[in-house]
Amino acid sequence: MQEQIKNTKTLEELQTLYTATFGKNGTMTAKLKNMKNLDNDARAKLNRENAALRELFKSRQTELENAAMHAALATQRLDPSLNPIPENRGTLHPLTQTLSDVSSILESFGYEMWTGPEIEDDWHNFTALNTPEYHPARDMQDTFFLENGNVMRTQTSAIQIRSMETVGAPIKMFGIGATYRKEMDATHSPMFHQIEGLYIDKNITMSDLIADVREFLKRFFNMDNVDLRIRPSYFPFTEPSIEIDMKWHGDRWLEIMGAGMVHPNVLRNCNINPDEYQGFAFGFGWDRLAMLKYGLNDIRKFYDGDVRWLQKTGF
Ligand code: PHE
């Protein structure tokens, strides 16, 4: 028996032998079951035999385990001279990064994020926004018309109409998404993105608008203070309408966004009573905000899908 244990070559072989000895039907198990029929000497002898055999199995197991480990070390050696597998680390697209910054700021102010369809009907993109057919302001937006009379959304203001139609007032939301206009150069792309905030409640005023915009810009650009310049402007869906400029690097005024108090006609179009509720809207170019933050000057780069550019800029 001792010889048999010593001659085992593998752990599996040893296990088989162990089961044949100590298993349910094992030879040793049978002898131990018969113990009560033995005299004292025979019992003591059997106990010694039992202990010795177990000891032998254990030490052979250790030997075989060590042998297996040495064999593995010899064949599975680590080769530190091999070149590492190149790591292909992705980066967030600057627009994605910008949206996550913008939305976490606006959501912390209580604005809720909305999206809407990119193919819009005339009502949501124009008419409900106080821009009926033949209104000269339709000319401000170089619209892509579809054959069935729908349009490629020219502004995310359409999402605001949808949110007011669905929720009514009070409402505090921002719409985000792709917008389309027939224009193309370094700062204009036929597809670009907008983000627009809307806050309708009782007693909302222009100073609430300016406070939220100021706080938003401070947080987005990580500035202690922002200098703002408010200029009168015109949008059919706001009255009064303004444009907001921001002092940039201490010397230049940059146009940042359009805004204003929501026109009573727009509220009426969404079944909100303008004598009870009022509020403001503001809208800006999502791409433009990203370009300012990351110091980029060609909007077309956002849409080239050029991985080298994305990795180089490393947002
Ligand atoms: N929708 C306007 C644009 O595309 C921006 C805007 C939004 C202006 C909300 C005022 C209020 O130019």
Side-chain angles (χ1 to χ4, degrees):
M1 186 73 199
Q2 272 110 333
E3 283 305 301
Q4 245 183 310
I5 296 173
K6 278 183 192 148
N7 287 337
T8 51
K9 297 271 173 302
T10 63
L11 284 162
E12 291 74 35
E13 240 180 84
L14 185 70
Q15 178 63 50
T16 310
L17 189 56
Y18 184 88
T19 310
T21 313
F22 289 109
K24 213 170 137 213
N25 301 314
T27 49
M28 199 61 191
T29 311
K31 282 189 200 175
L32 291 169
K33 272 185 191 154
N34 194 39
M35 187 100 105
K36 55 183 181 302
N37 302 322
L38 301 178
D39 60 26
N40 278 348
D41 282 356
R43 276 191 199 189
K45 195 174 161 241
L46 185 57
N47 274 331
R48 281 197 298 277
E49 195 192 339
N50 180 32
L53 267 184
R54 286 188 191 272
E55 202 47 53
L56 258 179
F57 269 109
K58 234 190 179 160
S59 66
R60 185 61 187 157
Q61 184 185 356
T62 310
E63 277 171 24
L64 287 172
E65 278 173 356
N66 282 341
M69 187 179 74
H70 284 293
L73 280 175
T75 53
Q76 303 168 12
R77 215 159 10 115
L78 174 71
D79 181 354
S81 70
L82 270 181
N83 287 328
I85 299 163
E87 194 183 341
N88 222 344
R89 187 184 297 192
T91 54
L92 286 180
H93 192 282
L95 288 180
T96 310
Q97 185 59 52
T98 302
L99 176 62
S100 105
D101 292 348
V102 168
S103 62
S104 67
I105 298 168
L106 289 181
E107 278 163 5
S108 80
F109 294 173
Y111 291 83
E112 186 186 87
M113 187 160 91
W114 280 66
T115 55
E118 291 176 26
I119 294 175
E120 265 300 5
D121 50 36
D122 180 282
W123 170 256
H124 291 95
N125 197 77
F126 287 124
T127 306
L129 285 158
N130 202 29
T131 320
E133 210 179 341
Y134 305 120
H135 191 295
R138 286 196 178 203
D139 246 13
M140 287 159 73
Q141 309 195 340
D142 302 308
T143 311
F144 288 111
F145 288 95
L146 303 183
E147 274 169 6
N148 63 5
N150 284 345
V151 299
M152 298 305 291
R153 178 172 68 193
T154 61
Q155 49 189 352
T156 44
S157 312
I159 304 175
Q160 305 188 325
I161 297 298
R162 288 182 178 275
S163 75
M164 285 188 281
E165 282 175 342
T166 312
V167 174
I171 189 168
K172 198 171 187 183
M173 57 76 70
F174 65 105
I176 62 139
T179 43
Y180 299 83
R181 292 183 199 180
K182 276 183 282 182
E183 43 193 13
M184 174 94 157
D185 58 36
T187 54
H188 296 89
S189 153
M191 188 209 55
F192 58 109
H193 297 81
Q194 288 188 330
I195 299 179
E196 286 194 30
L198 173 79
Y199 186 12
I200 307 286
D201 206 335
K202 293 171 180 171
N203 309 316
I204 301 295
T205 68
M206 193 81 121
S207 57
D208 296 310
L209 161 66
I210 292 163
D212 273 8
V213 165
R214 182 187 300 282
E215 194 56 33
F216 168 78
L217 293 172
K218 266 164 63 176
R219 294 199 198 181
F220 181 76
F221 290 110
N222 289 319
M223 303 200 291
D224 293 333
N225 225 332
V226 286
D227 276 338
L228 296 183
R229 189 168 70 177
I230 313 294
R231 283 181 293 112
S233 183
Y234 175 77
F235 302 103
F237 35 85
T238 44
E239 180 59 38
S241 301
I242 58 171
E243 253 159 79
I244 302 179
D245 300 341
M246 183 178 85
K247 194 71 152 296
W248 190 246
H249 294 323
D251 56 351
R252 216 147 48 96
W253 288 104
L254 281 186
E255 184 193 319
I256 290 284
M257 65 176 85
M261 300 306 290
V262 177
H263 196 291
N265 286 347
V266 174
L267 295 175
R268 259 180 230 117
N269 287 337
C270 301
N271 294 317
I272 294 172
N273 179 359
D275 295 325
E276 195 181 353
Y277 287 102
Q278 59 184 9
F280 60 74
F282 58 91
F284 50 81
W286 174 355
D287 315 72
R288 186 167 148 73
L289 222 53
M291 288 165 77
L292 287 174
K293 182 148 182 174
Y294 298 114
L296 307 171
N297 49 29
D298 190 342
I299 192 174
R300 293 167 294 199
K301 288 278 178 206
F302 285 147
Y303 309 118
D304 280 352
D306 182 345
V307 174
R308 290 162 304 178
W309 179 80
L310 283 168
Q311 264 160 358
K312 196 173 59 200
T313 43
F315 305 97

